[in-house]
Amino acid sequence: MCKSQFGLIGLAVMGANLARNMADKGVKTLVYNRTAAKTKKFLEDFGHSPNLDGAFTLKDFVNQLERPRKIILLIKAGQPVDDMLDELIPLLDAGDIIIDGGNSFFKDTQRRSKRMKELGFEYVGMGVSGGEEGALHGPSLMPGCGRQAYDHIRPVLEAISAKAEGEPCVDYIGTDGAGHYVKMVHNGIEYADMQLISEVYTIMRHVLKMDVEEIAEVFGKWNQGRLSSYLIEITAAILQKKDGKTGKPIVDIILDKAGQKGTGKWTSLSALELGVPTPTMTEAVFARDMSSMKEERVELDKKYNDIRFASDTLDKDSLLADLEKTLYASKICAYAQGFNLIGTAGEVYGWHLNLGHLAKIWRNGCIIRAAFLNVVSDSFDSNPSMKNLLFSDFFASALKEARPGWGRIVSLAAEAGVGIPALSSALAYFDAYHTPVGNANIIQAQRDYFGAHTYERVDKEGHFHTDWTG
Ligand code: 6PG
């Protein structure tokens, strides 16, 4: 019997779609799911493809794969991955390659890579972005592993990935947890991007008093320009959608409590651990936390709702122009924070990451795909040691041009009593980052005052202490 080239475990929607994508690209794929009924259903629906086959025991599955075996797991992150590895390990042969395509925590991936390597297997922690549609038609892929393992799986990954300007949206990222780390920060940026868009919507809806259809038009228009991105595009589409039952815009029916699975929080935890400021990404996580406190928000509104400010003398057209600049500038800051974090993690974990290439593989297939990633990629390519995107001349001119309107929008929202934590944190990040003389002299003095922690001086080397009360 002709053996399959690739094995795939986990037939929830991501796994099923990825298996179909592989088969469409001519890769003979064998699927397995713990619940046999799922495999049966999948084969009933899609088994007519000559490239799709299924196995009903793990032993049969492993035996029907070409060697070295290449097995991709699309199962729930966490303990299920360890459980599956425990079951697979006795059935594998040296040199077999296991790829974890879930949103696993990068430190788990580092631990699993070490374990698998010691047992003679190759382990790939691969970030997969693009949701269900991406899995089916072409995701962005972020594999972290040894070079040799990558060379084995590269042709298939390139075939199934999305393409941007003809180039596959996959590249070698780095060893062990690098791929999952990069995917984690991708999600941190995704959280920020989504929150920024939501705040801009809030300003249009509740400060400029625009109706939902009009806001949809603005997002649609922005999507034709430099803000062109998947998230802006789907926001315009979402705002046009009416609820079948009530005829109201569906966004008015959806409860304002955001879910989260943890990758945004992990990004912020890593940023705190590595000492990299990522306020916009982190505010986006806090905003989801705040959103879930619905009952308290409703209760507090009763206490404070008389302090809202509304004006009908606002110049809508000029404020919309300011808003576009504010969103663009804030987006630059959010991505700058994300790339800064990835760059630092690359140094700390010894991953030798190429930030220009990373930006390239996010140009299509993934959730944060955006026209401006071309410029991000070019900026890092022309200056690979650039510490932060804010040093790029291209983005510097966009930020300078945006700054006056950005300030106006943040003040306007503050006056109106509308919380916009992501937009305002991006502005604060920008202002703090280009401030040559900040306020940490006061912090240092306070630390020295109450704890004799000492401080450095601007005029000579060394550490000094003042007798503050003497
Ligand atoms: C992607 C998405 C994907 C998923 C997130 C949602 O890149 O395809 O990021 O990974 O949709 O896990 O995350 P939250 O549930 O935390 O919003």
Side-chain angles (χ1 to χ4, degrees), residues 433-453:
Y433 201 17
H434 71 78
T435 296
V437 181
N439 48 33
N441 49 342
I442 305 298
I443 307 287
Q444 285 297 78
Q446 290 165 336
R447 291 176 71 245
D448 191 54
Y449 190 110
F450 61 66
H453 293 293

Side-chain angles (χ1 to χ4, degrees), residues 103 129-131 183 186-187 190-191 260-262 288 367:
N103 272 334
S129 177
K183 173 57 176 37
H186 163 285
N187 282 26
E190 175 184 303
Y191 273 51
Q260 49 181 320
K261 295 203 194 75
R288 290 198 191 189
I367 305 296

Side-chain angles (χ1 to χ4, degrees), residues 7 12-13 63 73 81 144 153 200 207 275 288 328 372 395 415 460:
V13 70
N63 286 338
L73 311 180
V81 176
I153 56 175
V200 163
V207 183
R288 290 198 191 189
Y328 188 62
F372 103 132
F395 290 121
E415 280 180 19
K460 52 182 168 182

